[in-house]
Amino acid sequence: MPSSTTFIEDLLAQMTLEEKIGQLNQMNGGPDLDPDLLRMGQVGSVILDAGPSDGPGSSEARRAEWANHLQRLALQARVPIPLLLARDVIHGFRTVFPIPLAQAAAFDPELSRAAAEMAAREATAAGIKWTFAPMLDIARDPRWGRIAEGNGEDPVLGARLAAALVHGFQGPDMSGPERLVACAKHFAGYGAAEGGRDYENAEISEPTLRDVYLPPFESAVRAGVGTVMCAFVDLNGIPATANRHLLTDILRGEWHFEGFVVSDWTSIPELVYHGVAEDEAHAAYLALHAGVDMDMAGMAYLNTLARSVREGRVPMEEVDAAVRRVLEVKRRAGLFERPFADPSRAARDVLTPEARQLARRFACQSMVLLKNEGNLLPLQGFRRILVAGPFLHARDELFGTWALDGRAEDVLPLDEALRQVAPEGVELWFADWADLALRRANEADAVVLLMGEHPTRSGENSNVSDLGLPPGQPEFIAAVAALGRPTVLVVFAGRPLAIAREVAQVQAVLYAWHPGIEGGAALGEILFGQASPGGRLPVTFPRATGQVPIYYNHKNSGRPLGPDRGFQSRYVDLPSSPLFPFGYGLTYTAFEYANLRLSGEVMRGRLEISADITNVGDRFGREVVQLYIRDRVGSLTRPVRELKDFQAVELRPGETRRVTFILREEQLAFTRADGTRGVEPGTFYVWVASDSQRGLRGEFRI
Ligand code: NOJ
């Protein structure tokens, strides 16, 4: 790889103003992309669409050829600079893994890393070099459809997964032919959109922004993420796309981010609609000055920057700085040395058995067992099992949102997948129709209901005002449950749904999210006990839509939420507690926590906190042991609990293991009343717990 500074400066010195601005322009690579713009050095990056229509042979190979064709056009420019070819590779490529929110439920950074690595291998085989992932938006409002794309509500879990995903996509060196440049998005505060309506504005106090919304991004930067995408959101009155405080002061000044920032789709010209820019030229000026280096599909830089520079309204240095950053990422991505993809890789590297196996493991690990009365699951001793519901024949409905490159034909329909996995002697009966299901349920020994929301009901701009199951399903479930057969409810969804009534009606509930390409087999393995559900909730489950926002790390208030005690915070029509708390998830065995020990009563730099975890059930199991703290008194009010760490342990029946956490003083730092970050001396509670509402509690001081 050429060495950095002189190489970039030499290039820059050869470029005209127009060519420089071309590097800051990203266009969609649809059929209407004008090849002359590429030849004239007017495009720095192309968002790859699928390319020419599919024909015989591996279509990923054809896509790699299409990518190479675009690259050749760009390299015909007077100053040849390779394109950075981009695409939304969000939770897998052709091998679709569970949606990100489901992945977060696995509480398993290594699995997340491995899936991202696999996605990078497949996507690069199709000529892609840059993904718009990971999505790191903290979300406390499940009405917001994009909660499906992120890691849930917790900053520590989010930060751990952010680093894992960046490492997975980029590897130790993003120039590797099987590595993608990652993009941490959407910076920042996008998940706090008012009313759960995508693209709405957000009001987030500076301490909450820094302590809750930003940590995953900081973690991605520390992990070396190559690029950052700014959010559509209007944050505290300054749209993220024009927010210099975020993009320059914090991102570059405080965190020393050295990659480049791309806008979100047309978010630069949208500054006019936000009402902070007079016109396109003003919008381009604001965005560039704030720190947005590349204009995604907005054309505002291409249309206006040259003139603004010539007329003295935009400093040349700001253009040069942005171009340097873009060129530097291209250099680090190895594009100057290896601009072309190898189309022969597709046949070897796409949809391998290894990838499918990883997808199946991840799906099992991400499904959350919410209820299991009388250990109904795994299903044992039932001969005739009725399986019914709208997901019965699901194929690509299992993918979830943002699975642009998954294909229905790669997925075994759910009913067939279940049939393949079902043990001998089990008769599976299938029913699509509610009335048929009702008739057959009467004769069945047990019932499995496959309910939930279609993938188009979550994801970008797919927000709901009602978190209940889609129309018809509650009635379906109630009618079947009323027959009194042992009933398992499986929920496929891109968000926490408010299913309090349904949970009460059935004996077992398994939350399957949108589990990806191997979701059917994974579900079968869990239902019949060949695998165990491994997930824990990465987000609080409300009882009803009206409880939103509800999240575990809330403040106490002067009249704390609690059982109905007069003038305390509450609803008159609903318990205050969530339906299921953050961190919650059952297994096919049971664990006991005992013997909490702290290495001292006073923390001096660090503290060791440990507890014995015993598998008291009769099956092998994996427990996600969680470490929470509460800072009792602060110059600003502190959350009632904060996750600080977690560890998974796998235990045989009867086995006990001592799990030890090292809590360091800096993990207790927060944004204080005076705006500085640090730790305040005082008393802290600490819990070693199986979820955010339980656990063994200890206490220490600083
Ligand atoms: C808009 C979305 O907000 C962003 O997440 C995505 O990466 C871009 N479109 C490109 O498709």
Side-chain angles (χ1 to χ4, degrees):
M1 201 187 300
S3 78
S4 167
T5 326
T6 34
F7 174 74
I8 305 277
E9 293 309 316
D10 284 353
L11 265 182
L12 209 61
Q14 295 170 50
M15 295 165 78
T16 64
L17 175 58
E18 278 72 13
E19 286 162 348
K20 288 177 181 175
I21 292 165
Q23 286 304 304
L24 310 183
N25 178 40
Q26 181 182 56
M27 296 183 74
N28 196 32
D32 50 348
L33 176 63
D34 177 359
D36 282 341
L37 283 177
L38 297 176
R39 286 195 199 96
M40 285 156 48
Q42 292 298 280
V43 186
S45 169
V46 169
I47 301 183
L48 279 175
D49 77 353
S53 61
D54 286 345
S58 158
S59 81
E60 280 79 16
R62 290 165 60 86
R63 290 169 65 177
E65 277 158 14
W66 172 246
N68 287 347
H69 163 73
L70 297 175
Q71 199 65 283
R72 271 191 290 274
L73 291 173
L75 292 172
Q76 286 169 26
R78 196 187 65 85
V79 183
I81 297 175
L83 295 165
L84 192 48
L85 294 164
R87 190 160 169 88
D88 288 282
V89 181
I90 306 298
H91 51 108
F93 186 66
R94 178 88 174 261
T95 304
V96 180
F97 294 102
I99 54 166
L101 188 60
Q103 295 194 17
F107 275 73
D108 191 336
E110 174 47 30
L111 259 184
S112 294
R113 190 205 59 76
E117 182 176 49
M118 192 62 82
R121 182 181 306 163
E122 292 192 346
T124 49
I128 295 155
K129 190 61 196 171
W130 181 20
T131 177
F132 300 131
M135 195 276 216
L136 302 177
D137 296 306
I138 296 289
R140 293 172 157 182
D141 187 340
R143 292 174 299 179
W144 188 54
R146 301 200 81 168
I147 195 170
E149 296 176 51
N151 296 315
E153 73 187 28
D154 184 70
V156 167
L157 176 61
R160 287 271 283 275
L161 294 175
L165 290 163
V166 170
H167 288 141
F169 286 127
Q170 295 190 170
D173 176 356
M174 61 191 185
S175 74
E178 298 185 359
R179 300 299 188 174
L180 290 170
V181 179
C183 182
K185 74 184 187 185
H186 308 83
F187 196 58
Y190 185 39
E194 265 181 11
R197 293 183 305 277
D198 208 5
Y199 316 131
E200 284 291 342
N201 58 311
E203 295 274 349
I204 309 175
S205 73
E206 188 75 12
T208 300
L209 181 69
R210 286 179 175 272
D211 295 349
V212 177
Y213 288 87
L214 295 190
F217 289 96
E218 185 173 4
S219 167
V221 170
R222 280 184 201 279
V225 72
T227 66
V228 166
M229 185 189 297
C230 65
F232 286 124
V233 75
D234 166 355
L235 178 64
N236 300 333
I238 304 184
T241 306
N243 201 314
R244 196 171 158 89
H245 175 57
L246 275 181
L247 303 179
T248 295
D249 300 345
I250 295 180
L251 184 62
R252 297 196 170 103
E254 295 179 27
W255 300 348
H256 311 294
F257 172 63
E258 286 179 348
F260 73 81
V261 174
V262 64
S263 77
D264 202 344
W265 190 277
T266 64
S267 73
I268 297 178
E270 285 168 24
L271 293 174
V272 175
Y273 294 105
H274 277 291
V276 293
E278 296 271 352
D279 54 22
E280 192 186 24
H282 188 203
Y285 158 77
L286 286 176
L288 186 73
H289 182 65
V292 180
D293 303 304
M294 187 178 277
D295 175 357
M296 181 192 288
M299 300 297 278
Y301 282 2
L302 201 69
N303 291 342
T304 69
L305 276 185
R307 184 159 173 204
S308 297
V309 171
R310 290 206 170 93
E311 290 175 358
R313 277 178 286 126
V314 165
M316 189 64 210
E317 301 76 58
E318 287 190 359
V319 173
D320 281 345
V323 178
R324 274 191 194 98
R325 293 185 195 119
V326 170
L327 294 178
E328 175 60 13
V329 169
K330 290 185 173 185
R331 189 195 68 82
R332 282 171 52 207
L335 284 170
F336 289 99
E337 293 173 322
R338 205 174 23 242
F340 298 111
D342 169 5
S344 76
R345 269 191 51 215
R348 294 191 300 277
D349 287 345
V350 175
L351 207 61
T352 58
E354 186 195 351
R356 278 192 180 271
Q357 205 180 19
L358 181 64
R360 189 179 301 192
R361 215 176 112 217
F362 214 164
C364 290
Q365 190 89 304
S366 67
M367 293 188 189
V368 188
L369 183 61
L370 295 176
K371 177 177 182 181
N372 199 15
E373 212 173 271
N375 290 332
L376 174 58
L377 285 176
L379 294 169
Q380 274 160 354
F382 300 106
R383 203 164 63 77
R384 293 161 308 183
I385 300 174
L386 173 73
V387 185
F391 277 81
L392 186 58
H393 309 292
R395 301 181 91 164
D396 52 348
E397 293 86 352
L398 300 175
F399 288 164
T401 184
W402 281 118
L404 302 178
D405 301 291
R407 298 198 198 159
E409 69 259 30
D410 295 339
V411 192
L412 205 56
L414 192 43
D415 48 350
E416 280 178 40
L418 295 182
R419 212 196 295 273
Q420 285 197 359
V421 179
E424 234 169 277
V426 168
E427 253 177 67
L428 290 182
W429 299 347
F430 297 120
D432 302 74
W433 297 75
D435 47 359
L436 182 61
L438 280 173
R439 223 185 59 215
R440 304 223 69 190
N442 256 328
E443 300 146 25
D445 301 320
V447 180
V448 175
L449 295 175
L450 306 174
M451 300 290 174
E453 50 179 12
H454 189 271
T456 53
R457 200 165 176 266
S458 60
E460 187 172 347
N461 207 21
S462 296
N463 321 303
V464 294
S465 64
D466 181 347
L467 290 170
L469 283 159
Q473 295 188 26
E475 292 80 357
F476 192 155
I477 296 166
V480 172
L483 297 174
R485 303 280 155 214
T487 302
V488 181
L489 171 63
V490 179
V491 182
F492 296 93
R495 57 163 59 79
L497 291 171
I499 49 171
R501 198 171 306 143
E502 293 76 17
V503 169
Q505 287 164 346
V506 300
Q507 286 70 46
V509 180
L510 181 70
Y511 219 77
W513 314 100
H514 289 131
I517 189 168
E518 288 288 314
L523 175 64
E525 290 184 358
I526 287 178
L527 290 178
F528 298 114
Q530 288 106 303
S532 303
R536 304 293 189 278
L537 296 179
V539 62
T540 302
F541 270 46
R543 295 173 187 275
T545 313
Q547 270 182 316
V548 167
I550 180 170
Y551 47 93
Y552 87 95
N553 48 355
H554 63 88
K555 305 293 186 72
N556 204 34
S557 89
R559 303 233 172 151
L561 271 172
D564 188 4
R565 279 187 288 122
F567 289 90
Q568 300 288 109
S569 171
R570 63 159 177 174
Y571 294 103
V572 291
D573 59 349
L574 203 68
S576 321
S577 57
L579 182 59
F580 298 109
F582 174 87
Y584 172 85
L586 303 172
T587 63
Y588 283 167
T589 188
F591 297 95
E592 251 174 40
Y593 286 55
N595 305 326
L596 177 72
R597 226 170 14 234
L598 276 63
S599 59
E601 285 173 11
V602 180
M603 178 188 262
R604 294 196 174 79
R606 68 205 279 277
L607 202 67
E608 257 179 51
I609 299 146
S610 61
D612 287 333
I613 316 296
T614 305
N615 181 344
V616 294
D618 53 12
R619 288 176 67 111
F620 178 86
R622 172 183 181 266
E623 173 71 335
V624 178
V625 186
Q626 301 157 40
L627 180 77
Y628 293 92
I629 64 113
R630 174 167 178 183
D631 185 348
R632 294 275 286 110
V633 178
S635 58
L636 286 180
T637 53
R638 311 300 306 127
V640 295
R641 273 207 195 192
E642 294 174 82
L643 182 75
K644 288 296 166 188
D645 203 351
F646 56 91
Q647 268 181 52
V649 278
E650 295 190 334
L651 299 175
R652 293 186 309 275
E655 189 182 352
T656 299
R657 183 109 34 97
R658 188 137 198 98
V659 171
T660 304
F661 294 98
I662 311 285
L663 185 65
R664 292 181 320 278
E665 190 174 316
E666 60 264 28
Q667 289 173 275
L668 304 175
F670 67 101
T671 306
R672 299 175 288 201
D674 64 2
T676 61
R677 189 176 169 77
V679 181
E680 291 178 353
T683 308
F684 294 77
Y685 290 150
V686 61
W687 291 264
V688 174
S690 56
D691 67 50
S692 59
Q693 283 190 343
R694 290 188 294 176
L696 304 174
R697 196 182 87 181
E699 205 176 305
F700 65 90
R701 291 191 315 279
I702 291 193

